[in-house]
Structure formats: structure tokens, C-alpha cells
Amino acid sequence: MTALPLPKEQYDVVIIGAGPAGLAAASVAGKAGLSTLVLDENAQPGGQIFRAINTTPVKRRDVLGDDYWRGETLVAEARGSGATIVQGATVWSLDRDLQIAVSLLGQSQILKARRVIIATGALERPFPIPGWTLPGVMTVGAGQTLLKASGLVPDGKVVLAGTGPLLWLYAAQVLRGGGAIEAILDTTPRGNYWRALPHALPFLMSPYWTKGLALMREVKRRVRVVANVTSLAVRGGDRLNAVAYSVAGGGEQSMAADTLLLHQGVVPNVNLANAAGVAHRWDDRQLCWAPLLDADGNTSVPGIAIAGDGAGIGGAQAAVERGRIAALAAVQALAPGKRSLTPDRTDTAKALRRAERGRAFLDVLFQPASQFRLPDGDTIVCRCEEVTAMQIKDTIGLGVEGPNQLKAFLRCGMGPCQGRLCGLTVTEMIAQARGISPEAVGYYRLRPPVKPVALKELASIPHSEQAEKAVVRG
Ligand SMILES: Cc1cc2nc3c(=O)[nH]c(=O)nc-3n(C[C@H](O)[C@@H](O)[C@H](O)COP(=O)(O)OP(=O)(O)OC[C@H]3O[C@@H](n4cnc5c(N)ncnc54)[C@H](O)[C@@H]3O)c2cc1C
């Protein structure tokens, strides 16, 4: 038998995800002397915001900005803490007994933890408009991944469409990196500005205000911005060649494009937590599922905590503080005598409150319009199984009550992405059709493996004699 990639099978704390939350949690748990393992599927630590922080070919520091380079310190601290950080490690199962299945170097292995911190971050919200699956259309996040990891900016006629802070940040990064943007089609509903007003005061006291304003000014000086866009469709035969759009009160217009980058915010990546049986609630402000947590990030499953944007979108600094808080709770539970080696809980909670200041304003301002969340006609909803909005509506019309029943009828949510690209759309479509809340509709019930894993890996997992006897007859 070949040696397993990870030498130990038992850890005090296993942290899943090496973004800001996971790295900060690792620093606290590692420094306190707990045997701490961080598993992350990316090639390098850093998560989304600090992606490729130690390897990026983008050397001019102004291109990605100061917030990006803060990741260097976080990675260095985690590496120096005594925690073991393993990259290229995809966690495909986590259960209520805190057993973790991980795929690494083509082999799968089962580990056991005394505490698990899920720090798997966020995903971009689906943006199902007609033609969004055509070549030439990507998400802003995908564009940013290419920039950070490979130093690439798109060429030709580039159009950005949607809403949210990441769209403006990426536009600025592209311009600083020498790229050009033909236009931004801004889908932020005009009414959101009024609805966000009650949350304006804390926002004006937060760093988001000055940073955000400067970013938008920087972009608007060089890019044509079309505000109040109310419809979007991709035009082209076998690839995108134009974007059709309309502005409130106006007719359809068209703009030639070689690349269209879509974005309408980020939402927690709930797949692993859902598969582990963690209870979730529908967040009416962020329009997504979020886990039910206590003040330490503990979930409804004993021993499993969630930190970072996977706990509800709060941004990178909040992710750091939430990671620290979850790890402090682990130290308190497993090695209370080592508390003197960790940051102060009260100071960390204060820092979290500061980091979360202004978030409510952003949530409401950038809440995407319903027409961009609730598609119709032959717009694809489930990209893996190519299920259209019309098929979903017709099937709901037959009396299907929830996402799991819909799965059985149409296979939507059963492909390799396991619902990450269609789950929210399906929940909201059923809620709209049945006239009930998304909370009442619920979400896909996920089961492991939550990420694709080769059958030969499953077959070669070492098992005990007892486990073998359990399935052998006679
Ligand atoms: C595409 C994208 C780009 C973003 N870019 C920025 C930005 O430039 N600036 C900014 O301020 N915010 C950005 N954000 C917002 C982002 O969510 C940050 O707030 C921050 O990165 C959140 O930190 P986190 O630690 O919670 O999660 P993340 O940084 O998302 O880290 C999660 C980590 O978990 C790993 N992971 C996930 N599932 C598994 C699994 N099953 N097994 C193993 N590892 C797993 C991922 O590989 C990732 O490294 C971005 C979000 C997205 C979705």
C-alpha cells in the first residue's frame, strides 16, 4: 500500500480553507500549541482576496492595491504558528462525528478532529441572464483570478455588467494593470439608494466609504458607466459578440463585446456545512443562506464552527476576526491553560464589530434586482445538467414543492458543482411561484462527496476489518 499523503490521522483542530479566516484561525490555534491542520484546495494559501499572494506575477503593488498585500503578513503568521498548512487538499466530506474526507495528490484519506473550523468562504451569486453560458462570458471573480494568479487582463472589447463592490475593485485593477474597459452596465436598482439610506451613518464612519468612493471615481474617470440597467442579454451564435441591455424607461440597445464579465455580489459557500447537517437560515438582506451560529461561530453540530464569509458576507477583515474568535473558542475548549498565548477575546470581538460597520448599507445598496435573480424562458439555470428556467417553472407547475423534489425530476443541482451555480436561483424561483418565503422552500439537501472525487480514490480508502465485515454477507 502507498503511504498516505498526511502522516497523522488525528488533529486537535482541522481548519478547512486557507483564506483570511482560515489563516487567522490557524495562527491562534497553532500558537496555542494545538495540533492544527489547514486543508485548502487551492495551490497557494490566501483564499479569494489574497489569491496567489506569494506567487503572483503582478509585481507592481499599486495594481492589486494595499488591501491585497496585507495578505503577506497573514500567511507568514500562519506559517510561523506551528500549524500545518496543506494546499491542493480538497475536503469532500465532513460528518457529525468530525470525520473529514480529503483528496490530496490523487488519494483520499479520512481524518478525525476534535474541533473543525469551516472557513470555505464565499462564491459569486449566480447571474442567470439569456446567453450567460456562451463562450466569451465569465464572471468578474474569474477575471480577477486570472489577474492575480497569472497576471492576465482581458483584451478586445471588454464589458462589465452587474453590481457590487468587487465589480468596481476589479475594474480599477484592470485599468491599473494596463487593460481597457469599453463600458460598465450598472444594474444597481435606483430604489436601493433610498432603501440603503437608514444604514448610511455607520457606513460613513467605516473605511468602506472613502475607499469605495475613491475606487468608483478612479474607474468613472476612464470608463463609460451606464447606470440603471434593467435588462441584459448576451447576443451571439457560438460565442458572445454583443450585449443587449435596456435602461429604465428606455428601449433595448446593443453594445459590441468580445468579453462580458458578470457580477452581482458574493454569497456564503454553504455546501460542506449543509452536508454536515449544520442548520441554516435565509438571510433576507443578503438574499442567501447563512449558517445559524452563536457568538463564537459554533454551529448546530457540536464541534463544528464556521468563520469568514461562509458565516455570512462580512468582508476580509471581518473574516480575520471571525477566524480568530472561532480558534479562541477551540483553545478555550481543548487547552484552556494556553489562553495566555492567544489574543484577548473582548478586543477581538470589538475589532469584529468595527470590521462589520457599514456592511448593512452595502448589503442593501448592492442587493441585486429580482429580474437578474429570477430568469425565465430558455435561460439556463443549472449549467451542469443544462436545465432551463422554463423547465423548472413547468415542473413547479406539476406540484413540485422544493429543491430536492425538483432534483429528482430534472437532475438540477446534481452535476459536478453540486448546486453552487443554481441552488439560490432554484430556491427563489420556487418561492416566487408558490408565493412563500425562500426560508419555507429550503435548499438542496447535500450529501458527500460535495466535490467530485475519483471512484478509485473512494475504493482505495483504507478501512478497518470491522467496516469490511459490516458489508460482507454470509
Ligand atoms: C471570486 C471572488 C473574489 C473575491 N475577491 C475579493 C477581493 O479582491 N477583495 C475583497 O475585499 N474581497 C474579495 N472577495 C470577497 C471574499 O469573500 C473576501 O471577503 C475574503 O476572501 C473572505 O475570506 P474567507 O477566509 O472567508 O474565504 P476565502 O478567502 O474565500 O477562502 C476560502 C478558502 O477555502 C477553500 N475551500 C473552499 N472549499 C474547500 C474545500 N471543500 N476543500 C478545501 N478547501 C476549500 C478555498 O480554496 C479558499 O482558499 C472575493 C470573493 C470571491 C467569491
Side-chain angles (χ1 to χ4, degrees):
M1 190 190 286
T2 16
L4 289 167
L6 293 165
K8 273 174 49 168
E9 290 182 359
Q10 192 106 27
Y11 292 84
D12 289 331
V13 183
V14 172
I15 298 164
I16 305 164
L23 291 168
S27 291
V28 171
K31 274 186 204 147
L34 297 178
S35 64
T36 304
L37 175 70
V38 184
L39 299 168
D40 189 290
E41 65 187 342
N42 278 341
Q44 298 290 329
Q48 299 291 9
I49 179 169
F50 307 132
R51 181 180 288 277
I53 186 79
N54 298 130
T55 53
T56 181
V58 183
K59 296 298 172 214
R60 258 186 46 212
R61 292 173 86 91
D62 66 305
V63 174
L64 296 173
D66 290 345
D67 284 349
Y68 176 76
W69 294 104
R70 287 203 181 100
E72 284 178 318
T73 316
L74 208 58
V75 172
E77 272 175 16
R79 284 191 171 137
S81 69
T84 305
I85 304 174
V86 183
Q87 298 299 143
T90 301
V91 174
W92 53 265
S93 175
L94 165 66
D95 68 20
R96 303 178 82 92
D97 296 326
L98 311 192
Q99 287 211 105
I100 299 144
V102 56
S103 168
L104 175 63
L105 300 172
Q107 281 190 75
S108 276
Q109 188 172 347
I110 309 287
L111 307 171
K112 186 91 176 67
R114 294 170 75 198
R115 301 280 284 211
V116 173
I117 300 176
I118 301 179
T120 49
L123 300 166
E124 285 180 284
R125 180 191 295 282
F127 205 150
I129 55 166
W132 69 310
T133 53
L134 274 184
V137 185
M138 298 192 336
T139 66
V140 162
Q144 201 201 37
T145 296
L146 291 171
L147 174 60
K148 289 175 179 170
S150 310
L152 297 173
V153 290
D155 58 9
K157 286 191 166 67
V158 179
V159 176
L160 269 58
T163 185
L166 188 60
L167 183 135
W168 293 95
L169 173 63
Y170 173 68
Q173 291 171 333
V174 167
L175 298 173
R176 293 176 203 152
I181 297 169
E182 200 75 4
I184 293 178
L185 301 174
D186 184 351
T187 62
T188 312
R190 193 160 280 166
N192 282 9
Y193 288 89
W194 294 108
R195 294 199 306 115
L197 259 187
H199 307 285
L201 197 62
F203 175 70
L204 294 174
M205 290 158 60
S206 78
Y208 290 129
W209 159 238
T210 42
K211 269 193 212 168
L213 206 64
L215 209 58
M216 285 172 122
R217 280 198 181 132
E218 180 184 346
V219 173
K220 283 181 175 175
R221 270 200 299 271
R222 292 176 57 191
V223 179
R224 178 182 162 216
V225 177
V226 181
N228 214 10
V229 169
T230 51
S231 79
L232 277 174
V234 179
R235 300 282 184 243
D238 51 6
R239 83 173 316 283
L240 150 87
N241 57 38
V243 186
Y245 65 96
S246 51
V247 173
E252 189 177 283
Q253 305 180 51
S254 180
M255 185 181 283
D258 301 307
T259 303
L260 171 65
L261 295 154
L262 296 170
H263 180 79
Q264 51 177 356
V266 299
V267 293
N269 175 3
V270 294
N271 276 33
L272 194 61
N274 179 319
V278 166
H280 286 75
R281 67 181 171 87
W282 178 259
D283 184 325
D284 272 323
R285 207 173 65 203
Q286 297 192 342
L287 301 177
C288 59
W289 296 102
L292 283 169
L293 302 174
D294 71 10
D296 287 323
N298 292 313
T299 67
S300 58
V301 177
I304 300 181
I306 302 184
D309 273 0
I313 303 305
Q317 192 53 41
V320 166
E321 308 303 346
R322 289 176 185 170
R324 287 183 181 139
I325 287 173
L328 285 172
V331 175
Q332 177 66 33
L334 304 179
K338 299 288 175 65
R339 281 300 306 270
S340 59
L341 300 173
T342 61
D344 181 71
R345 171 71 172 73
T346 313
D347 290 347
T348 313
K350 261 193 214 151
L352 174 60
R353 280 198 295 279
R354 261 197 315 275
E356 287 177 337
R357 197 179 287 155
R359 199 74 224 175
F361 181 87
L362 294 177
D363 289 346
V364 178
L365 178 64
F366 293 123
Q367 211 174 64
S370 60
Q371 70 269 28
F372 297 121
R373 309 193 321 269
L374 295 160
D376 50 34
D378 57 7
T379 299
I380 294 216
V381 173
C382 168
R383 300 174 66 122
C384 302
E385 299 290 332
E386 297 192 333
V387 182
T388 65
M390 198 191 324
Q391 285 174 294
I392 291 177
K393 281 188 177 171
D394 289 348
T395 311
I396 299 169
L398 296 175
V400 161
E401 295 199 336
N404 294 307
Q405 214 182 352
L406 202 66
K407 242 190 205 181
F409 276 69
L410 294 174
R411 290 191 54 81
C412 55
M414 288 179 78
C417 94
Q418 288 290 289
R420 277 184 286 270
L421 293 172
C422 68
L424 282 178
T425 314
V426 162
T427 290
E428 286 208 87
M429 284 181 75
I430 298 176
Q432 186 199 37
R434 295 186 52 210
I436 58 175
S437 68
E439 177 87 43
V441 170
Y443 191 60
Y444 293 134
R445 174 74 183 95
L446 285 151
R447 292 196 171 75
V450 297
K451 294 266 172 144
V453 59
L455 262 180
K456 68 171 187 194
E457 280 193 39
L458 293 183
S460 63
I461 291 175
H463 42 257
S464 64
E465 202 180 324
Q466 191 193 8
E468 211 163 289
K469 276 191 187 141
V471 291
V472 174
R473 293 200 184 159

